[in-house]
Amino acid sequence: MDGYNLVSFAGVFVLVGLAWVLSADRRNVNWRVIGWGIALQLAVALFVFVVPAGARVFLVVNDVVVRILDSAGAGARFVFGRLALGPGQVGEDGQESIGLILALQGFPTIIFFSALIAILYHLGIMPRIVKAFARVFTRLMRVSGAESLVVASNIFVGVESNLTIKPHLATLTASELCTVLTAGMASVASNILALYVLMLQERFPTIAGHLISASLLSAPAALLMSKLLLPESGRPVTLGLRVEPYYERESSLMEAIINGANAGVRMIVGIVALLIAVLGLVALVNLALASLGDVVNPLLGTAGRWSLGGLFGYLFYPVALVLGVPPADAGVVSRIVGARVIVTEVAAYGELAAAMEQGLLQHPRSAVITAYALCGFAHIASMAIFVGSICALAPERAKGIGPIAVRALVAATLACLVTACVAGTFFAEGSILLGRPGPTAGATKSEIRNSTPRQQADRSETSSDDRSIAFHKFRDDRDRLPRSVSLARNDIQAPDLRNAGLYALYADAGEFNARTASE
């Protein structure tokens, strides 16, 4: 564990302290919920990042998701042909992908996973899993059965989780309602998760496993943050009770598939509408800010283009440092994490993918922490969606839900950040969970493309520490060069690392960057 890991660990308690300061009733906080919330997060992260068996489970789950994701693309490839091939994929006829097209490669996976989840619900598999998680939260944290159930449901589904407690929505206390909203915004649905995997998989081979890990970590984080921001002051009707999930079961498997696919289509329409509207409005605001900056900069003697991204970069810079992001990457990470509040996590993950593609992140831990911090629907548009869902299911809850929803948005944002801190606490640069390109050394392009992150990890497990030591030694030697030196891409390289496929380091106009040697 290095210094940045300790910073991330301390960040957990800094964020908990901030939530306590913002609490509506600091004297009435249930510290049992807070303690177990932190303990459950640390236990899950310890198992995934440190315990060898946990790492193997992580890699198996990642491979399963990647293979399912590839199956999800079969229908899209049949309909859209070459346009549906993801980055790096090659079709059966030998045609190569022309790059990422979100509408034709990402959105079809939402339809597939929506149908898959509907099948699991119809077969009774998903309700059993959800109830198992709910029992853990109820027994350990002693929260009500209704909020435990909805938090457990949000690990796997999105706004549909509100349906599982439909009979109880009208009788929820204000604190329970805050928990329901926080849980929805602090996690992501499994069908949307597939979209993020597609966006980041080329640069981050094990992203699927990390996002699933983030979904598990976010559940107890949502409970602890919601109970800090709005502690329980009443007596929940379902306190100490086991609540059965409420859902309308289709009459046949085919009906479940049809309804699931149609639900996926409706979700895509909603996502597209939000992206078009929100990103367009953000561009308009940026235009206004840039015009204002052109007037103010000469008066103040400052320079730079004003934008929302720049504003969020300043506001969230301290947050990025608290998460354990190295200062060299904190500016980039702060802009990405901060922008999520406005432009949604879909656009934010797109910015993360672009930052990794352009080599803007110098430290591997920065990408991992950012991926965990973004893994949630914690943005204004999502808050409106979840509030609308609850009001549609229980119209009597519309009165007074506004202030609770704002607190839930803050709690969900803090929950995502705490999850990122926990991931940063156990991060190890030589970990096989990073799925680096190094393990493919000596393999053909076809073998590299078809190998799974688990197979890559197996190739590299015995020599990852040696490569990490050699890389750091080489980077130290490079950093002692004069900053004025301008080198071509292949003028400086690490001979003992080039064959391993790790990094070729080069300088361009005095700015050092890192790129994979295979590029």
Side-chain angles (χ1 to χ4, degrees):
M1 180 176 287
D2 61 20
Y4 290 126
N5 294 74
L6 295 176
V7 171
S8 294
F9 182 67
V12 172
F13 301 96
V14 170
L15 294 172
V16 169
L18 176 60
W20 180 80
V21 170
L22 299 175
S23 176
D25 187 1
R26 288 191 284 272
R27 295 182 178 180
N28 198 30
V29 172
N30 184 346
W31 291 105
R32 179 188 178 92
V33 174
I34 311 309
W36 273 110
I38 296 174
L40 286 174
Q41 280 202 301
L42 294 176
V44 172
L46 183 69
F47 177 74
V48 171
F49 284 92
V50 178
V51 178
R56 288 194 291 270
V57 171
F58 174 99
L59 292 170
V60 169
V61 170
N62 182 83
D63 291 347
V64 169
V65 173
V66 170
R67 292 180 186 277
I68 292 176
L69 187 60
D70 185 61
S71 300
R77 289 191 292 271
F78 176 79
V79 175
F80 301 116
R82 180 185 180 186
L83 297 177
L85 291 173
Q89 291 184 338
V90 179
E92 295 179 358
D93 56 357
Q95 289 186 320
E96 296 185 355
S97 170
I98 63 174
L100 177 64
I101 304 176
L102 187 62
L104 302 182
Q105 298 165 17
F107 290 158
T109 64
I110 295 177
I111 298 175
F112 173 85
F113 274 87
S114 295
L116 181 61
I117 293 297
I119 291 172
L120 295 177
Y121 264 103
H122 179 77
L123 297 177
I125 298 173
M126 191 59 68
R128 291 189 180 92
I129 297 174
V130 169
K131 285 192 293 184
F133 278 99
R135 289 193 189 103
V136 172
F137 298 141
T138 302
R139 180 170 298 179
L140 296 181
M141 306 177 81
R142 292 184 183 173
V143 293
S144 72
E147 55 192 345
S148 294
L149 186 63
V150 79
V151 169
S153 298
N154 272 292
I155 298 175
F156 308 99
V157 296
V159 70
E160 304 91 337
S161 62
N162 293 334
L163 286 170
T164 61
I165 59 167
K166 182 179 178 181
H168 306 283
L169 284 175
T171 59
L172 295 180
T173 65
S175 179
E176 284 182 297
L177 186 57
C178 182
T179 299
V180 170
L181 290 170
T182 301
M185 291 186 283
S187 57
V188 294
S190 54
N191 49 4
I192 301 296
L193 183 145
L195 174 62
Y196 310 149
V197 173
L198 184 66
M199 296 170 68
L200 291 167
Q201 185 183 357
E202 185 178 15
R203 288 282 167 183
F204 201 157
T206 56
I207 185 62
H210 283 290
L211 292 180
I212 292 173
S213 170
S215 296
L216 293 173
L217 292 172
S218 293
L223 276 168
L224 89 88
M225 283 301 176
S226 67
K227 292 306 181 185
L228 271 171
L229 268 293
L230 190 57
E232 186 62 75
S233 57
R235 181 168 180 81
V237 175
T238 60
L239 183 64
L241 302 178
R242 291 184 180 180
V243 176
E244 291 294 319
Y246 171 86
Y247 66 99
E248 297 176 357
R249 191 172 186 270
E250 288 81 358
S251 59
S252 66
L253 182 62
M254 183 55 65
E255 184 181 353
I257 295 173
I258 293 172
N259 289 342
N262 288 336
V265 171
R266 290 193 296 271
M267 183 172 290
I268 290 172
V269 172
I271 292 173
V272 170
L274 279 175
L275 289 176
I276 293 174
V278 172
L279 294 182
L281 291 172
V282 168
L284 183 61
V285 172
N286 283 338
L287 182 63
L289 288 176
S291 300
L292 180 63
D294 291 340
V295 175
V296 175
N297 280 339
L299 300 177
L300 300 179
T302 57
R305 183 178 178 84
W306 289 24
S307 67
L308 277 177
L311 176 62
F312 283 123
Y314 286 114
L315 292 178
F316 278 79
Y317 188 84
V319 174
L321 295 178
V322 168
L323 297 182
V325 175
D329 295 336
V332 176
V333 171
S334 63
R335 285 194 296 272
I336 296 173
V337 174
R340 189 267 304 271
V341 178
I342 302 295
V343 301
T344 78
E345 79 289 343
V346 177
Y349 271 118
E351 291 185 24
L352 174 59
M356 296 177 70
E357 176 75 24
Q358 298 166 19
L360 300 180
L361 299 177
Q362 300 180 21
H363 298 264
R365 70 180 286 112
S366 301
V368 174
I369 290 174
T370 307
Y372 278 78
L374 295 179
C375 195
F377 294 138
H379 49 79
I380 295 174
S382 179
M383 179 181 69
I385 292 173
F386 278 93
V387 168
S389 168
I390 289 177
C391 292
L393 294 173
E396 60 271 27
R397 300 313 308 243
K399 185 178 180 180
I401 198 174
I404 296 176
V406 173
R407 282 195 172 273
L409 177 59
V410 175
T413 301
L414 291 174
C416 293
L417 296 178
V418 165
T419 297
C421 282
V422 172
T425 299
F426 293 97
F427 174 87
E429 191 164 335
S431 173
I432 61 176
L433 304 187
L434 293 179
R436 291 185 175 178
T440 60
T444 65
K445 289 185 177 181
S446 175
E447 291 172 337
I448 293 173
R449 183 164 51 243
N450 295 326
S451 63
T452 65
R454 175 63 185 273
Q455 291 168 336
Q456 295 174 10
D458 289 341
R459 295 191 189 106
S460 66
E461 200 165 11
T462 57
S463 56
S464 60
D465 290 340
D466 293 337
R467 287 198 302 272
S468 180
I469 294 171
F471 167 65
H472 283 293
K473 180 180 183 301
F474 173 64
R475 185 172 62 183
D476 293 341
D477 292 340
R478 175 211 65 183
D479 289 341
R480 285 195 289 270
L481 291 171
R483 295 287 293 176
S484 59
V485 175
S486 179
L487 300 171
R489 174 168 182 150
N490 294 318
D491 284 349
I492 268 189
Q493 294 190 12
D496 54 339
L497 299 180
R498 184 170 176 81
N499 291 334
L502 277 179
Y503 290 91
L505 299 159
Y506 65 97
D508 182 16
E511 294 296 330
F512 290 108
N513 293 293
R515 290 287 191 274
T516 55
S518 58
E519 290 183 332

